[in-house]
């Protein structure tokens, strides 16, 4: 009895611990959104026009307000490399300043990077907010980090959004730094007009908006960005602080090889992390050519293989814990995709290549192995190739069945004997002169000759003739004589005309 009480006590204690852990887990997953790092006090985005941005940029860039770069299309493994850093970013004159975060190198960005809506398709339309971990599961992301900005109250996605070729949101020419991937495999960084965003000749397949173009053509571009993206009513106030304050940060860029570079650094606004000047210099040292800043502060989240790998800066309900924030769009690195992903519904995507079902071919499995004209008049084109009519064979159904065979696939053998030939479709025997029957097994009865034994002999005295030629011959073979004399073995196969003729021949030879 004492042992039973002790066991019950232990079980109760275990259940109590599980309950406390579960309650703590719920608290840990609930962010207070208290580390908000916003570039604007009012509505999101610069109030400057695209023309203003174009005209105020350094003359060396002419009228081009964005930079393009051919994306790397390295097809080998691995798809992505993630590196964690813990670095002292101070100069020699400063006390050490240590930061930690992640650098991600994507070798084939066109086929392995997607902009995801929060929680999956239609997330922006529904103003959803979702943890990066949960959104990452919708596409089996190898690596995912938060992307564009959003309204923390309504959850509304901000800026331009194109996800896997689908225009989710058009910001109507809002002038903030953009990152996108075009259909032809070009990486795009910088400022875009509304016409650029809506280009139908070479459309965007991925597009997301940030704030501040960090690096342009290998050089720090923050001052120029501040002039282009700062709201007219703010001048430098809040926007200046946004650029210079220490905080958690995320960014996206590319190197000279066209590999996409994702950047994340842990932090907390005013206490630890990096300002944007430090981010730009850090990326420049890593060989990044163009880069833009994405949402930071409590939004900065890095997920590796489905699990949180960063240190959130938002507090939970219980102050001692830190919680990841439910955010908006996500940059996802996944296994290579085919274009289209479903291989035109006629194949399976394996490491970025379509493996077509039988009867389909081409890089997207969109073409039938045969075309209707290829099967001629004696076949039908199907996903399995030409299907030939009965009696025909060959890749294009142009060959009749070989002698002695008939039917579908020419795989049935004819049963004709005595030199008879069969129809290649149905196998019906065509008998030579002098024979009849289903298999041409019967010789013409006495008194008849020719094809199908329909011609009566014309011999005198009603004598029989040659069954093939009809020539008169009064000498009957013993076998035919005896067969005729026995008379009834095959009588059931003879027509009345044949029976009458048999009787007359018997009279001729004195049998009756």
């Amino acid at each position: 009895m004492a042992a039973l009480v002790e066991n019950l006590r232990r079980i109760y204690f275990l259940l109590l611990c599980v309950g406390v852990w579960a309650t703590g887990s719920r608290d840990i997953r609930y962010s207070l959104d208290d580390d908000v790092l916003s570039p604007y006090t009012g509505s999101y985005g610069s109030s400057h026009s695209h023309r203003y941005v174009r005209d105020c940029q350094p003359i060396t860039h002419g009228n081009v307000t964005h930079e393009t770069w051919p994306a790397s299309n390295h097809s080998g493994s691995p798809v992505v490399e993630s590196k964690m850093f813990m670095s002292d970013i101070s100069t020699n004159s400063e006390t050490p300043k240590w930061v930690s975060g992640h650098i991600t190198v994507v070798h084939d960005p066109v086929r392995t990077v997607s902009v995801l809506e929060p929680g999956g398709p239609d997330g922006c339309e529904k103003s959803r907010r979702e943890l990066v971990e949960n959104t990452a599961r919708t596409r089996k992301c190898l690596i995912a980090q938060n992307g564009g900005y959003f309204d923390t109250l309504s959850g509304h996605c901000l800026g331009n959004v194109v996800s896997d070729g689908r225009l989710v949101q058009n910001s109507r020419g809002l002038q903030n730094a953009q990152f996108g991937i075009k259909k032809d495999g070009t990486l795009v960084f910088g400022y875009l007009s509304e016409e650029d965003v809506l280009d139908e000749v070479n459309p965007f397949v991925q597009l997301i908006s940030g704030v501040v173009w960090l690096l342009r053509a290998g050089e720090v571009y923050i001052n120029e960005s501040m002039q282009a993206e700062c709201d007219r009513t703010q001048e430098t106030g809040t926007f200046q602080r946004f650029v210079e304050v220490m905080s958690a940060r995320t960014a996206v860029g590319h190197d000279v090889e066209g590999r996409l570079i994702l950047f994340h650094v842990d932090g907390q606004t005013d206490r630890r992390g990096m300002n944007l000047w430090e981010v730009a210099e850090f990326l420049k040292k890593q060989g990044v050519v163009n880069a833009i800043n994405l949402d930071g502060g409590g939004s900065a989240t890095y997920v590796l293989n489905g699990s949180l790998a960063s240190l959130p800066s938002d507090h939970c309900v219980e102050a001692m814990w830190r919680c990841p924030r439910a955010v908006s769009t996500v940059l996802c690195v996944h296994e290579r995709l085919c274009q289209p992903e479903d291989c035109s519904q006629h194949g399976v995507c394996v490491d970025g290549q379509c493996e077509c079902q039988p009867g389909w071919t081409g890089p997207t499995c969109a073409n039938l192995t045969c075309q209707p004209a290829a099967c001629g008049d004696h076949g039908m084109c199907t996903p399995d190739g030409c299907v030939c009519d009965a009696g025909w064979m060959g890749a294009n159904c142009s060959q009749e069945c070989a002698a002695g065979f008939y039917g579908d696939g020419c795989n049935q053998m004819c049963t004709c004997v005595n030199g008879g030939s069969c129809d290649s479709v149905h196998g019906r025997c065509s008998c030579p002169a002098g024979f009849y029957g289903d298999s041409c097994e019967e010789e013409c009865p006495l008194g008849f000759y020719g094809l199908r034994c329909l011609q009566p002999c014309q011999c005198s005295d009603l004598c029989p003739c040659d069954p093939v030629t009809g020539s008169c011959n009064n000498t009957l073979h013993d076998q035919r004589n005896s067969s005729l004399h026995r008379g009834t073995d095959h009588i059931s196969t003879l027509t009345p005309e044949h029976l009458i003729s048999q009787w007359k021949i018997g009279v001729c030879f004195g049998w009756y």
Side-chain angles (χ1 to χ4, degrees):
M1 186 68 177
L4 177 60
V5 171
E6 178 64 17
N7 288 335
L8 290 174
R9 187 185 67 79
R10 290 177 178 177
I11 292 172
Y12 174 79
F13 180 77
L14 177 62
L15 291 174
L16 180 63
C17 291
V18 170
V20 171
W21 173 82
T23 303
S25 295
R26 286 194 296 271
D27 286 343
I28 288 173
R29 305 303 289 176
Y30 183 75
S31 164
L32 292 181
D33 290 346
D34 57 337
D35 187 10
V36 178
L37 180 63
S38 176
Y40 301 103
T41 55
S43 60
Y44 167 82
S46 166
S47 57
H48 297 301
S49 67
H50 181 259
R51 180 172 180 175
Y52 169 86
V53 171
R54 182 193 64 195
D55 292 346
C56 76
Q57 69 182 1
I59 194 170
T60 55
H61 299 296
N63 289 328
V64 179
T65 59
H66 58 269
E67 298 289 331
T68 60
W69 202 274
S72 167
N73 60 358
H74 177 67
S75 58
S77 295
V79 168
V80 61
E81 295 178 83
S82 175
K83 301 176 182 178
M84 183 176 180
F85 63 85
M86 184 171 288
S87 305
D88 177 8
I89 61 171
S90 62
T91 63
N92 293 332
S93 60
E94 297 177 338
T95 56
K97 180 180 179 181
W98 293 89
V99 293
S100 63
H102 295 84
I103 287 282
T104 302
V105 180
V106 187
H107 298 282
D108 187 6
V110 175
R111 292 189 292 171
T112 63
V113 172
S114 293
V115 172
L116 304 184
E117 295 182 70
D122 300 325
C124 284
E125 181 182 352
K126 297 176 181 177
S127 296
R128 292 181 60 179
R129 290 178 57 185
E130 190 57 80
L131 296 175
V132 175
E133 294 172 73
N134 295 340
T135 299
R137 293 190 190 102
T138 67
R139 287 299 295 271
K140 298 180 180 179
C141 303
L142 304 174
I143 288 173
Q145 69 180 45
N146 65 293
Y149 289 80
F150 61 96
D151 189 315
T152 56
L153 297 178
S154 67
H156 181 66
C157 299
L158 300 175
N160 294 304
V161 181
V162 175
S163 175
D164 292 332
R166 182 170 58 91
L167 179 63
V168 174
Q169 184 165 288
N170 171 16
S171 70
R172 308 296 179 188
L174 203 64
Q175 292 305 295
N176 285 104
Q178 312 283 322
F179 157 66
I181 303 175
K182 291 220 151 192
K183 186 176 181 180
D184 66 354
T186 301
L187 304 178
V188 179
F189 290 82
Y191 302 115
L192 304 173
S193 66
E194 186 174 8
E195 290 74 18
D196 294 329
V197 173
L198 300 178
D199 179 19
E200 295 182 356
V201 176
N202 183 23
F204 281 98
V205 292
Q206 315 293 342
L207 183 62
I208 197 170
S209 297
V211 174
V212 180
W213 192 350
L214 300 171
L215 291 173
R216 181 173 188 177
E219 299 298 329
V220 178
Y221 201 67
I222 294 177
N223 279 327
E224 293 84 351
S225 292
M226 292 176 66
Q227 183 178 358
E229 297 185 56
C230 181
D231 189 76
R232 290 173 184 166
T233 60
Q234 286 182 247
E235 296 303 329
T236 58
T238 302
F239 203 86
Q240 184 84 28
R241 168 177 161 76
F242 170 78
V243 170
E244 296 181 351
V245 70
M246 283 191 303
S247 190
R249 304 283 189 171
T250 59
V252 59
H254 74 86
D255 64 12
V256 70
E257 296 180 35
R259 300 179 301 180
L260 201 68
I261 309 297
L262 303 183
F263 170 84
H264 157 265
V265 63
D266 288 318
Q268 184 176 3
T269 305
D270 282 322
R271 296 188 179 183
R272 50 191 171 87
M274 289 184 175
N275 63 41
L276 292 186
W277 295 102
E278 291 167 334
V279 172
E281 290 293 344
F282 187 91
L283 291 175
K284 184 177 179 180
K285 289 178 182 178
Q286 307 307 311
V288 175
V289 179
N290 289 289
I292 69 165
N293 171 67
L294 298 174
D295 195 8
S299 296
T301 310
Y302 189 83
V303 171
L304 175 64
N305 293 324
S307 298
L308 182 67
S310 58
L311 177 61
S313 59
D314 272 354
H315 287 89
C316 308
V317 173
E318 200 171 326
M320 68 176 291
W321 303 109
R322 299 286 176 156
C323 289
R325 177 183 294 175
V327 298
S328 184
T329 51
V330 167
L331 277 178
C332 167
V333 185
H334 45 69
E335 296 288 354
R336 289 184 179 88
L337 299 179
C338 295
Q339 297 293 336
E341 290 183 46
D342 63 354
C343 295
S344 305
Q345 299 183 347
H346 303 303
V348 178
C349 184
V350 178
D351 195 26
Q353 301 292 326
C354 286
E355 293 187 357
C356 302
Q357 299 169 353
W360 296 90
T361 187
T364 62
C365 300
N367 302 323
L368 279 169
T369 302
C370 67
Q371 297 298 322
C375 299
D377 297 329
H378 304 292
M380 180 174 63
C381 184
T382 73
D384 297 320
C386 290
V387 175
C388 300
D389 297 337
W392 295 87
M393 63 181 184
N396 57 1
C397 303
S398 61
Q399 304 170 31
E400 285 193 81
C401 292
F405 295 88
Y406 74 96
D408 292 330
C410 297
N411 57 7
Q412 301 183 63
M413 293 186 65
C414 297
T415 61
C416 306
V417 295
N418 294 319
S421 61
C422 76
D423 169 68
S424 62
V425 177
H426 305 291
R428 299 190 186 99
C429 293
S430 296
C431 301
F435 296 91
Y436 74 102
D438 290 341
S439 299
C440 306
E441 73 279 9
E442 301 286 352
E443 195 173 18
C444 286
L446 290 174
F448 288 87
Y449 74 98
L451 292 175
R452 300 173 61 191
C453 301
L454 294 177
Q455 301 299 318
C457 294
Q458 302 299 321
C459 301
S460 59
D461 299 326
L462 301 176
C463 290
C465 62
D466 184 273
V468 177
T469 65
S471 63
C472 295
N473 183 359
N474 292 330
T475 302
L476 294 175
H477 299 297
D478 292 340
Q479 183 178 354
R480 296 189 71 201
N481 286 345
S482 61
S483 175
L484 180 62
H485 195 61
R486 289 193 301 269
T488 60
D489 290 347
H490 60 280
I491 193 168
S492 63
T493 65
L494 300 179
T495 64
E497 291 79 5
H498 287 155
L499 292 173
I500 293 171
S501 176
Q502 295 275 307
W503 176 80
K504 289 180 179 179
I505 292 172
V507 171
C508 170
F509 284 93
W511 297 334
Y512 305 110

